[in-house]
Amino acid sequence: MVINMAANASEAELQHVIERVKECGFQPHVTRGTERAIVAAVGSGGSRSALEALKAAPGVEDVVPIAHPFKLVSRQTRGERSCVNVGNVCIGGAEAVVIAGPCSVESRDQILSTAKAVRAAGATMLRGGAYKPRTSPYDFQGLGLEALQLLRDAREETGLPIVTEVMSTEDIPLISEYADMLQVGARNMQNFALLRQLARADRPILLKRGPSANVKEWLLAAEYLLAGGNSNVVLCERGIKTFETEMRNTLDLAAVALVRELSHLPVIVDPSHGTGKRELIAPASRAALAIGADGLIIEVHPCPERALSDGAQSLNLDEFAKMMGSLTAPIRRVASAMAVAVA
Ligand code: PEP
Ligand code: MN
């Protein structure tokens, strides 16, 4: 249930509601908006009718059930959109954010040259895999700690905050020492043990959508993070499995608009994994921004043909700069029926 406080409710009235929610057997999660406070009462086993009676408490405007199984990520529990800060970058604010970098960190030269080039082209965060989830055990698995050290050096040189994937609970403390944001990869979206630990981590989380996950499952995965205490979560649409075989995945851009309806969390788009084709990155990026994405995450490599992972979907440094330029071009003008009628 959500308890909407009146715009003129006092702090004492809010505190009273928080206490009553606890007495009724629920956990209160308070959002203090610019206009009013909202108290979300979550948990199971408490008395719903006792909560509903809070409609009569002073300072309460309304008590309404939360319509969806996900509670804390729901837009209902927060009047305004969330902004997640990663270093000096705000994801979910007025401007869309571009995160760029190689699929995997491969060498000092590779990550430093990429970091400098993507920064010069306008990216404000650096990506790079240190621990890689690979379909085959014989494929390159990432440089691990060495890659984390190289990412740290790249941040020192460029000032770009770092996002990198964490695959296992035991790696969380080490990766948190080096990275500004922790990525949960698509294959781990429903690794609930990992989500529970990341809920206690002192880092924002980039939660990729599972290749076969529907929107409800994706938002419930995010709910694990918020319910466990980490509300700095950014969602990432990276394509899902469909019957289509010409692309690596099917980039589900309508889900981005839907998620923005259902949730207050920022959502970004990964057109690299979403399409698997470098020639589709620019048009898919433009479409993602047009539909309301809060940002993009794009794979860039100084020499894609030599990349140890995901070369086919990586832009080279010049292609990335060109793509960034294309993002500001206006979308196609729509013909006006009125103009045709009078012509
Ligand atoms: C990646 O970002 O390189 C990656 C492996 O992504 P995903 O988990 O979306 O496949
Ligand atoms: Mn990749």
Side-chain angles (χ1 to χ4, degrees):
M1 304 281 262
V2 169
I3 299 124
N4 291 319
M5 300 301 292
N8 60 359
S10 69
E11 183 60 31
E13 289 166 342
L14 174 63
Q15 287 308 324
H16 172 71
V17 166
I18 293 171
E19 280 315 308
R20 285 292 298 131
V21 166
K22 289 186 200 159
E23 283 166 17
C24 295
F26 295 91
Q27 293 102 46
H29 291 260
V30 184
T31 308
R32 292 166 195 270
T34 43
E35 292 215 334
R36 64 182 66 237
I38 297 174
V39 183
V42 297
S44 52
S47 162
R48 284 173 68 91
S49 55
L51 272 186
E52 272 169 275
L54 283 175
K55 276 183 189 166
V60 171
E61 189 171 278
D62 208 359
V63 179
V64 285
I66 304 177
H68 299 287
F70 39 87
K71 311 288 179 197
L72 300 176
V73 308
S74 163
R75 250 189 119 158
Q76 253 185 303
T77 61
R78 209 182 142 89
E80 36 207 77
R81 302 210 65 79
S82 293
C83 172
V84 173
N85 291 306
V86 188
N88 55 359
V89 176
C90 159
I91 305 179
E95 293 181 328
V97 165
V98 178
I99 305 170
C103 179
S104 304
V105 178
E106 298 168 3
S107 69
R108 172 172 295 276
D109 190 40
Q110 175 240 19
I111 191 68
L112 285 182
S113 60
T114 307
K116 287 179 196 160
V118 300
R119 183 177 185 278
T124 53
M125 275 184 68
L126 180 67
R127 62 151 289 148
Y131 299 85
K132 294 303 302 177
R134 302 307 302 280
T135 302
S136 164
Y138 306 116
D139 288 340
F140 177 62
Q141 303 285 311
L143 294 180
L145 176 59
E146 188 187 346
L148 295 178
Q149 290 164 339
L150 293 174
L151 284 168
R152 180 190 55 196
D153 294 351
R155 178 181 52 210
E156 260 165 39
E157 285 249 348
T158 60
L160 298 178
I162 304 297
V163 58
T164 195
E165 178 162 351
V166 50
M167 291 202 297
S168 139
T169 51
E170 71 219 26
D171 297 332
I172 296 173
L174 179 72
I175 299 179
S176 299
E177 269 180 50
Y178 290 86
D180 302 282
M181 182 180 219
L182 306 179
Q183 174 174 320
V184 177
R187 294 159 186 81
N188 265 321
M189 188 204 82
Q190 282 189 318
N191 180 338
F192 299 116
L194 183 62
L195 295 176
R196 277 203 199 89
Q197 288 291 321
L198 287 171
R200 297 209 287 267
D202 182 25
R203 287 283 177 272
I205 308 296
L206 182 61
L207 179 64
K208 289 197 148 191
R209 179 182 181 181
S212 310
N214 62 34
V215 165
K216 187 165 92 181
E217 290 162 337
W218 187 19
L219 292 177
L220 281 169
E223 185 81 11
Y224 269 84
L225 297 166
L226 273 76
N230 193 343
S231 50
N232 291 315
V233 176
V234 175
L235 301 164
C236 178
E237 162 60 40
R238 48 76 72 203
I240 53 173
K241 295 267 178 241
T242 67
F243 50 80
E244 177 56 62
T245 53
E246 290 297 315
M247 291 174 287
R248 184 173 175 186
N249 290 292
T250 298
L251 189 61
D252 185 8
L253 287 182
V256 173
L258 177 62
V259 158
R260 284 175 58 87
E261 287 286 315
L262 295 175
S263 174
H264 56 86
L265 295 176
V267 53
I268 68 168
V269 168
D270 175 346
S272 308
H273 295 87
T275 66
K277 287 178 182 285
R278 79 160 63 78
E279 60 274 27
L280 298 182
I281 309 297
S285 296
R286 283 161 52 73
L289 296 184
I291 210 160
D294 294 296
L296 301 164
I297 180 165
I298 294 175
E299 288 187 335
V300 181
H301 193 285
C303 182
E305 70 167 78
R306 290 179 187 271
L308 298 181
S309 59
D310 286 349
Q313 65 191 37
S314 299
L315 299 178
N316 69 28
L317 307 183
D318 288 344
E319 287 165 343
F320 177 71
K322 198 162 157 242
M323 189 236 39
M324 288 294 281
S326 81
L327 295 184
T328 52
I331 58 171
R332 192 170 185 158
R333 211 151 59 94
V334 177
S336 158
M338 288 308 288
V340 173
V342 293

